């Protein structure tokens, strides 16, 4: 599997994933994971999430920006690990980019609800595997 | 949900999970995830994995023992995050505890194959959620 093939397959895996796992690092240095809806990505460069402002992941991202995301298909034995730096975005552009119909259920005030905010993972490295083949790559 | 209920549900989730996600921390401080077979656990205190000795997770665990494991059921909106310290075990007791029929396919020399080794996650903290309810607990 060439790096180009791995990147192409990685993008397909993201497109076919309903959820993914986001890891941030807690105050003690331990990796903390949680499943999140796979909402939006810009190529393999940026992975976007929305969450509530009071969540643990926001607190952790604000103290330590080192993070990772993992997409996988258990049945097909495919997995994609991306690592990079995560930013908390509260600006209008990010709020609207991630807003989806139905989010009013969780954020009654809409995209400007103070409890709604966005996480932007700026990917630096990737690792895609399928069966026993894998490829590592860097993202510029 | 009380802590006792959360722990009981957490154990049920582990029992019903074919795979889970293990996170270790790489040299740069970034969380690295990969899906692994859910093989064995001692209550919520210890989660056991087997892997090949040359894998990245072994190198990372030897340099930084802070790790986490995540079990989840996407459809039921249940998730369990466990964090603790991970140890690389190469002793006979651990090798035999994790050995499964069929592993000869990957480790032709059997439980003493030098490429086969075991990871023991000694859990310190847990967090179980179901829907919008969650409970945090410590493991002694």
């Amino acid at each position: 599997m060439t790096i180009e093939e791995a990147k192409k397959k990685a993008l397909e895996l993201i497109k076919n994933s309903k959820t993914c796992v986001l890891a941030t690092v807690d105050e003690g240095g331990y990796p903390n994971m949680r499943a999140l809806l796979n909402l939006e990505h810009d190529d393999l460069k940026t992975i976007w999430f929305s969450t509530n402002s009071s969540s643990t992941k926001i607190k952790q991202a604000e103290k330590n920006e080192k993070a990772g995301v993992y997409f996988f298909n258990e049945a097909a034995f495919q997995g994609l690990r991306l690592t990079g730096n995560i930013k908390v975005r509260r600006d209008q552009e990010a709020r609207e980019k991630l807003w989806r119909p139905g989010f009013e259920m969780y954020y009654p005030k809409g995209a400007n609800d103070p409890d709604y905010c966005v996480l932007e993972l700026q990917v630096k490295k990737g690792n895609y595997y399928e069966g026993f083949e894998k490829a590592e790559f860097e993202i510029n």
Side-chain angles (χ1 to χ4, degrees), chain A:
Chain A
M1 183 164 50
T2 66
I3 286 175
E4 286 318 305
E5 283 165 350
K7 285 182 171 176
K8 203 181 152 200
K9 283 166 176 274
L11 279 167
E12 279 166 25
L13 178 59
I14 294 177
K15 278 175 199 147
N16 294 326
S17 297
K18 209 171 122 188
T19 58
C20 55
V21 180
L22 173 71
T24 48
V25 179
D26 73 12
E27 283 192 329
Y30 291 89
N32 272 221
M33 290 173 273
R34 73 286 287 162
L36 281 178
L37 280 178
N38 173 27
L39 289 174
E40 195 144 343
H41 62 100
D42 297 333
D43 195 36
L44 292 171
K45 288 186 179 182
T46 318
I47 313 292
W48 298 88
F49 302 99
S50 74
T51 187
N52 55 314
S53 306
S54 52
S55 64
T56 309
K57 56 187 127 9
I58 294 292
K59 287 181 197 108
Q60 290 176 351
E62 281 176 331
K63 286 191 179 164
N64 185 339
E65 66 176 15
K66 293 177 180 178
V69 64
Y70 188 65
F71 295 86
F72 71 116
N73 180 330
E74 189 178 298
F77 204 53
Q78 298 168 323
L80 171 66
R81 169 198 311 161
L82 300 172
T83 54
N85 295 332
I86 200 161
K87 313 283 179 190
V88 181
R89 295 274 304 260
R90 293 188 174 85
D91 56 284
Q92 201 65 21
E93 189 191 341
R95 284 173 177 281
E96 285 173 9
K97 183 180 173 80
L98 271 287
W99 188 260
R100 295 291 184 277
F103 275 15
E104 300 84 5
M105 208 174 113
Y106 312 108
Y107 309 108
K109 292 179 186 166
N112 290 314
D113 195 309
D115 194 36
Y116 167 73
C117 74
V118 168
L119 282 167
E120 176 190 1
L121 179 71
Q122 298 169 348
V123 179
K124 290 184 161 189
K125 286 184 185 175
N127 181 305
Y128 176 81
Y129 73 82
E130 191 172 306
F132 290 104
E133 279 195 275
K134 65 176 180 176
E136 290 188 17
F137 47 87
E138 300 209 352
I139 302 288
N140 302 308

